[in-house]
Amino acid sequence: MKIIVTGGAGFIGSNFIYYELKNYSDEIICLDKLTYAGNLETLADAFKNPNFKFIRADISDRKAIYKIFADEKPDVVINFAAESHVDRSIEDPELFLRTNIIGTSVLLDACKKFGIKRFHQVSTDEVYGDLPLDRPDLFFTEQTNLHTSSPYSASKASADLLVQAYQRTYKIPATISRCSNNYGAYHFPEKLIPLMIINALHDKKLPVYGTGENVRDWLYVEDHCAAIDLIVRRGKIGEVYNIGGHNERKNLDVVKTILKILGKSEDLIEFVTDRKGHDKRYAIDPTKIKNELGWTPQTNFDDGIKKTVTWYLENRAWWEKIISGEYKDYYAKMYDNR
């Protein structure tokens, strides 16, 4: 089987590529535009595998995508490619609309034109909006209404609706998954957990929005990859599957846990002006994927966060190059003389 993974040089996409290469002999083709969050060096070990291929491409570039589909004739397309940082979406919404909506539509058109066995859209629980902090009994289910809070979540919800429309109108064999907050190896340093780890290692202030009371459900990235794999191979066409970790934590508690693991003082915490439209609580009910596909998260947060901190301690060169900007030179080193 030949699988196109878009956004495969990013955090979750790269972890998924490694999961597939480890567990299957399928051919994996990574498409990535290599924006600020796409790091080709993340895939250095994948390049050693004969079943892996990389193509630099923008999913919103129709001509390029059609040529790739015509040349490669993929069986499966899994769309991880997305602008995903909420703060950036508040500053530049149009970029998110172009990549997350137009890019998804181009991929769907390519699937319709060239034919595929499965298209899978990797989405987010943020399309559901948020839940109140004083109602721990409430969870997002697949039937929860879409109620977006940011340009980012609005763009992802729009992409989900496009996928469902193409599935119904054109019979595209599509599925959608919506996950809670991921964490683990190769997480880009601007995100909460890696940012706190790196700042703490440098004894820099750890900026926490508001009072840090906002709650997130944390999902270890390898558990997420296993869930997506199950959906792609065994999930029912036309269905949405929620993927959650059952690991709810206040942002402030996450930061304190990281400081404790690193042996750093909580005096490094600095409360900053809250994000505009900041969602209060995310919490997913993953009953459907458990009952239908047998998936459950294997990693609790206390174990996963220790593994994540250890990874950042053991892979300083990876994130130091990102902080310095050197990681952007890797593509040139790999390809300019080829």
Side-chain angles (χ1 to χ4, degrees):
M1 187 161 66
K2 185 178 288 190
I3 303 172
I4 283 182
V5 177
T6 71
F11 167 43
I12 305 175
S14 62
N15 275 279
F16 182 78
I17 286 171
Y18 283 123
Y19 181 90
E20 294 297 298
L21 291 175
K22 177 182 177 182
N23 291 286
Y24 303 97
S25 58
D26 296 323
E27 184 177 348
I28 305 295
I29 302 168
C30 172
L31 304 187
D32 203 293
K33 184 181 177 181
L34 297 180
T35 59
Y36 77 95
N39 184 357
L40 200 60
E41 197 163 358
T42 297
L43 296 169
D45 287 337
F47 278 99
K48 301 172 185 176
N49 192 307
N51 290 327
F52 176 77
K53 180 178 182 179
F54 176 83
I55 302 174
R56 188 173 190 175
D58 181 348
I59 61 168
S60 65
D61 183 341
R62 187 175 298 272
K63 182 178 179 181
I65 294 301
Y66 278 17
K67 185 179 187 307
I68 291 167
F69 273 64
D71 292 344
E72 300 295 342
K73 299 177 176 58
D75 301 297
V76 175
V77 178
I78 305 174
N79 184 28
F80 290 91
E83 296 289 343
S84 64
H85 196 269
V86 174
D87 290 342
R88 287 177 181 262
S89 80
I90 293 171
E91 296 300 319
D92 185 9
E94 184 176 343
L95 175 62
F96 285 68
L97 307 186
R98 185 165 60 251
T99 299
N100 299 356
I101 302 175
I102 300 302
T104 300
S105 73
V106 169
L107 290 172
L108 289 166
D109 284 337
C111 289
K112 177 165 67 76
K113 180 177 177 66
F114 295 97
I116 45 94
K117 295 177 181 178
R118 178 61 63 92
F119 176 88
H120 183 72
Q121 174 74 2
V122 180
S123 189
T124 171
D125 60 356
E126 294 187 48
V127 300
Y128 297 125
D130 63 353
L131 298 166
L133 294 173
D134 60 355
R135 288 294 305 276
D137 57 310
L138 296 179
F139 296 88
F140 297 136
T141 71
E142 289 81 1
Q143 284 71 47
T144 300
N145 290 332
L146 303 186
H147 188 72
T148 62
S149 304
S150 68
Y152 161 62
S153 58
S155 69
K156 291 296 288 184
S158 300
D160 287 3
L161 293 174
L162 268 177
V163 173
Q164 291 177 321
Y166 272 68
Q167 193 280 315
R168 178 165 179 170
T169 302
Y170 303 113
K171 308 305 179 187
I172 299 294
T175 46
I176 298 170
S177 60
R178 295 171 180 154
C179 68
S180 53
N181 284 43
N182 279 224
Y183 69 106
Y186 301 114
H187 205 173
F188 198 75
E190 74 178 0
K191 300 291 189 173
L192 176 68
I193 286 178
L195 177 64
M196 297 301 136
I197 293 171
I198 293 167
N199 277 17
L201 288 173
H202 290 95
D203 293 312
K204 294 173 61 177
K205 289 293 184 180
L206 278 56
V208 176
Y209 283 133
T211 59
E213 296 299 304
N214 305 69
V215 173
R216 299 293 181 262
D217 174 22
W218 292 96
L219 175 66
Y220 194 58
V221 67
E222 291 180 8
D223 289 337
H224 186 197
C225 294
I228 292 173
D229 180 72
L230 272 174
I231 295 168
V232 169
R233 296 175 189 276
R234 292 171 42 198
K236 184 179 178 182
I237 289 171
E239 293 295 311
V240 175
Y241 295 90
N242 282 352
I243 308 171
H246 274 316
N247 284 305
E248 289 186 55
R249 294 289 191 283
K250 293 180 182 179
N251 287 347
L252 182 59
D253 290 339
V254 170
V255 175
K256 288 182 177 180
T257 299
I258 292 169
L259 288 171
K260 184 176 181 181
I261 293 171
L262 292 172
K264 299 288 186 175
S265 171
E266 292 183 7
D267 291 340
L268 290 174
I269 296 172
E270 180 179 57
F271 295 102
V272 299
T273 302
D274 207 356
R275 168 192 289 163
K276 296 176 181 178
H278 200 177
D279 287 336
K280 293 179 174 62
R281 172 176 171 255
Y282 301 149
I284 275 184
D285 178 358
T287 299
K288 179 178 178 178
I289 191 173
K290 177 183 178 182
N291 290 343
E292 294 188 11
L293 301 179
W295 178 88
T296 55
Q298 300 299 302
T299 311
N300 65 52
F301 185 77
D302 289 337
D303 291 337
I305 193 65
K306 289 176 183 176
K307 290 167 66 174
T308 301
V309 170
T310 298
W311 188 89
Y312 279 86
L313 289 171
E314 294 178 349
N315 292 271
R316 295 181 71 108
W318 180 84
W319 53 264
E320 285 175 347
K321 287 180 181 178
I322 293 176
I323 292 173
S324 70
E326 289 180 19
Y327 79 107
K328 294 179 180 178
D329 298 331
Y330 189 76
Y331 182 86
K333 294 175 184 177
M334 288 288 290
Y335 287 100
D336 277 0
N337 294 320
R338 293 190 177 186

